[in-house]
């Protein structure tokens, strides 16, 4: 491996352990360290990769970093970069899932949870608010968001998500695209090997269908069902970790009861205090889900692996497939215009989850006060989510 690629991997390793604050903070660090300092890519290339990750489902920070690696050293470097980026935080979340039951009944741990769980909901509230401000810029997007909120509250079915996302993209694309772009589409797809396209689509659909193939009553079916659940969510999630958490809460807590509200919020609060990708939170969800079904230590580790692979695989396949064609793809406004509707629907999903997350608070006014305080700190100060979670831990220890 060339010296430049080894230097790149070293920088990725350092970035993995210092990347706090979510996608918005991640892109600022990439700009400083990977563009201005090392010049692995140009600023224009970085911004284009970031834009590409926004119009594709999957983990946006991960896709941007993997895209940079692909430009620096091709497929092998991209895959190594992905592993360096995802494994440390995923391993910590897996360990947290395994040890959760040990600490769950301890008084100090319970006191800490009383503070950090409402703070975690406050972080979700802030994410919902920022998404709404950014993406609800017209009557159409506002109506799409309200419609997805009402639909998900009424239907309470995880399969409503893909239908609503598809409808949102179709509506905004149809209303905002003013002229046909047949020549450009022909140019783009003339350069694509149809066998590769068929193979690519086949991989996505094959794994997405696995959960339906396995009998739900089979004692061996839960890991496969979990993989299908996470893989399906990986295909559906536009907007990164802020959208991931609401979707997962609705499916895994509200509908399937794989884990409790308290377990979910505890894991999310921990993830917010760690560097690395928000999608690593799925490692905790997978581990807890298997543990709650009596699968033991090996089962929890398997659940974490299934979750982290399933949630990331669609986005990884997409970024490696699409990057070579991005120069043409980014010019198709039909594709770009679908994003506003997809993001508007995502805002509705986030609002639904926020409503569901606050239900267990009941008459606990301290919880609502912590939620509001967290929201205000994030919105009006420069204090970041990791520090807020640390403050909650200290308050719980006092």
């Amino acid at each position: 491996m060339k010296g430049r690629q080894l230097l790149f991997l070293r920088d990725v390793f350092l970035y993995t352990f210092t990347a706090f604050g979510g996608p918005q903070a991640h892109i600022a660090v990439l700009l400083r360290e990977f563009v201005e300092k090392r010049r692995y890519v140009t600023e224009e290339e970085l911004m284009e990769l970031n834009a590409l990750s926004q119009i594709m489902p999957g983990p946006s920070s991960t896709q941007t970093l993997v895209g940079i690696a692909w430009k620096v050293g091709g497929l092998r470097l991209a895959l190594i970069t992905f592993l360096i980026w995802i494994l440390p935080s995923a391993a910590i979340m897996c360990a947290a899932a395994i040890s959760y039951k040990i600490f769950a009944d301890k008084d100090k741990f319970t006191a800490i949870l009383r503070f950090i769980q409402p703070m975690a909901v406050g972080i979700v509230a802030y994410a919902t608010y920022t998404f709404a401000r950014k993406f609800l810029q017209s009557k159409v997007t506002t109506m799409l968001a309200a419609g997805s909120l009402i639909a998900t509250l009424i239907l309470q079915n995880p399969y409503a998500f893909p239908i609503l996302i598809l409808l949102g993209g179709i509506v905004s694309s149809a209303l905002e695209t003013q002229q046909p772009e047949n020549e450009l589409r022909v140019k783009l797809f003339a350069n694509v090997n149809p066998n590769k396209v068929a193979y690519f689509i086949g991989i996505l659909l094959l794994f997405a269908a696995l959960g339906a193939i396995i009998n739900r009553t089979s004692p061996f079916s839960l890991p496969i069902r979990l993989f299908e659940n996470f893989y399906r969510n990986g295909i559906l999630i536009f907007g990164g970790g802020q959208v991931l958490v609401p979707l997962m809460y609705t499916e895994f807590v509200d509908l399937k009861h794989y884990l409790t509200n308290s377990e979910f919020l505890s894991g999310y609060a921990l993830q917010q205090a760690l560097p690395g990708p928000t999608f690593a939170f799925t490692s905790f969800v997978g581990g807890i889900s298997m543990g709650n079904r009596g699968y033991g230590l090996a089962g929890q580790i398997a659940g974490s692996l299934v979750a982290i692979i399933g949630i990331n695989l669609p986005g990884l396949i997409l970024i490696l497939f699409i990057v070579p064609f991005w120069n043409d793809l980014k010019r198709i406004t039909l594709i770009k215009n679908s994003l506003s509707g997809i993001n508007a629907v995502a805002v509705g999903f986030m609002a639904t989850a926020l409503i569901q997350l606050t239900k267990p608070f009941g008459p606990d006014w301290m919880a609502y006060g912590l939620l509001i305080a967290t929201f205000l700190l994030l919105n009006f100060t420069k204090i970041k989510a990791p520090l807020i979670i640390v403050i909650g831990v200290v308050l719980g220890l006092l």
Side-chain angles (χ1 to χ4, degrees):
M1 188 175 286
K2 298 178 181 179
R4 180 173 170 79
Q5 294 183 20
L6 289 173
L7 180 62
F8 177 82
L9 291 177
R10 189 203 70 172
D11 288 339
V12 168
F13 183 81
L14 294 174
Y15 171 67
T16 298
F17 288 94
T18 56
F20 291 92
Q24 292 80 8
H26 293 171
I27 195 67
V29 176
L30 288 173
L31 181 62
R32 184 181 70 243
E33 298 296 326
F34 287 68
V35 175
E36 296 173 357
K37 184 177 179 181
R38 297 293 188 191
R39 302 191 184 280
Y40 292 123
V41 291
T42 66
E43 181 175 347
E44 182 182 2
E45 287 176 320
L46 175 62
M47 293 300 107
E48 287 184 351
L49 285 170
N50 184 59
L52 174 58
S53 72
Q54 299 303 314
I55 68 168
M56 290 194 305
S60 55
S61 294
T62 302
Q63 289 170 320
T64 302
L65 183 61
V66 169
I68 295 172
W70 187 89
K71 286 180 174 290
V72 173
L75 179 61
R76 184 173 66 157
L77 189 68
L79 294 176
I80 296 172
T81 296
F82 169 74
L83 293 175
I84 293 174
W85 168 243
I86 197 72
L87 286 179
S89 51
I92 293 172
M93 296 307 292
C94 176
I98 292 169
S99 59
Y100 183 85
K101 297 295 184 185
I102 298 173
F103 298 100
D105 296 328
K106 298 192 182 241
D107 291 339
K108 280 292 182 186
F109 187 73
T110 303
I112 291 171
L113 294 186
R114 193 182 176 203
F115 284 90
I116 66 171
Q117 288 180 352
M119 290 176 169
V121 181
I123 294 170
V124 175
Y126 175 70
T128 305
Y129 172 71
T130 54
F131 256 59
R133 283 190 61 187
K134 183 176 181 180
F135 297 118
L136 304 188
Q137 300 290 336
S138 66
K139 289 182 179 179
V140 172
T141 52
T142 302
M143 289 177 65
L144 285 171
S148 68
L149 167 63
I150 295 168
T152 48
L153 284 173
I154 294 173
L155 295 176
Q156 292 288 294
N157 189 310
Y159 293 98
F161 297 133
I163 296 171
L164 292 169
I165 286 173
L166 180 63
L167 288 174
I170 290 172
V171 168
S172 63
S173 183
L175 293 177
E176 295 178 20
T177 304
Q178 297 179 351
Q179 58 185 7
E181 297 168 312
N182 292 331
E183 291 184 7
L184 184 56
R185 284 196 286 273
V186 168
K187 177 184 174 184
L188 172 64
F189 291 107
N191 294 324
V192 180
N193 186 324
N195 292 330
K196 289 183 178 180
V197 174
Y199 180 70
F200 162 71
I201 295 173
I203 290 175
L204 290 177
L205 296 180
L206 173 64
F207 286 119
L210 278 178
I213 295 171
I214 301 298
N215 189 323
R216 289 181 179 272
T217 61
S218 167
F220 304 105
S221 66
L222 181 58
I224 302 297
R225 292 207 316 273
L226 279 175
F227 181 84
E228 185 273 336
N229 294 160
F230 285 108
Y231 189 89
R232 174 166 38 81
N233 277 286
I235 294 174
L236 299 178
I237 292 167
F238 292 81
Q242 295 98 326
V243 181
L244 167 75
V245 172
L247 280 178
M248 287 179 54
Y249 182 86
T250 302
E251 178 162 0
F252 291 96
V253 179
D254 256 6
L255 302 181
K256 296 182 176 175
H257 308 293
Y258 284 162
L259 66 167
T260 66
N261 178 80
S262 179
E263 290 168 338
F264 185 92
L265 286 177
S266 299
Y268 179 57
L270 172 61
Q271 190 284 319
Q272 288 295 299
L274 296 176
T278 304
F279 274 51
F281 174 51
T282 58
S283 177
F284 180 86
V285 175
I288 287 285
S289 298
M290 293 288 283
N292 286 346
R293 296 302 185 277
Y295 277 79
L297 177 61
Q300 288 189 284
I301 295 173
S304 292
L305 285 172
V306 161
I308 208 69
I309 293 171
I311 200 73
N312 282 284
L313 191 56
L316 188 62
I317 294 171
L318 283 167
I319 189 69
L320 294 176
F321 180 84
I322 291 176
V323 162
F325 311 110
W326 175 235
N327 285 337
D328 286 325
L329 191 65
K330 67 185 178 182
R331 293 158 55 196
I332 301 180
T333 55
L334 190 68
I335 294 174
K336 290 194 292 185
N337 288 344
S338 67
L339 184 61
S340 61
I342 290 170
N343 284 326
V345 169
V347 172
F349 294 162
M350 296 169 77
T352 300
L354 184 59
I355 293 170
Q356 302 294 349
L357 283 165
T358 56
K359 281 183 179 180
F361 291 169
D364 186 353
W365 292 107
M366 189 185 86
Y368 291 107
L370 289 168
L371 187 162
I372 294 170
T374 300
F375 175 86
L376 294 175
L377 285 172
L378 289 171
N379 195 47
F380 294 107
T381 74
K382 294 185 178 180
I383 298 175
K384 303 299 182 185
L387 181 57
I388 291 175
I389 297 300
V390 171
I391 292 171
V393 172
V394 172
L395 290 173
L397 292 173
L398 295 178

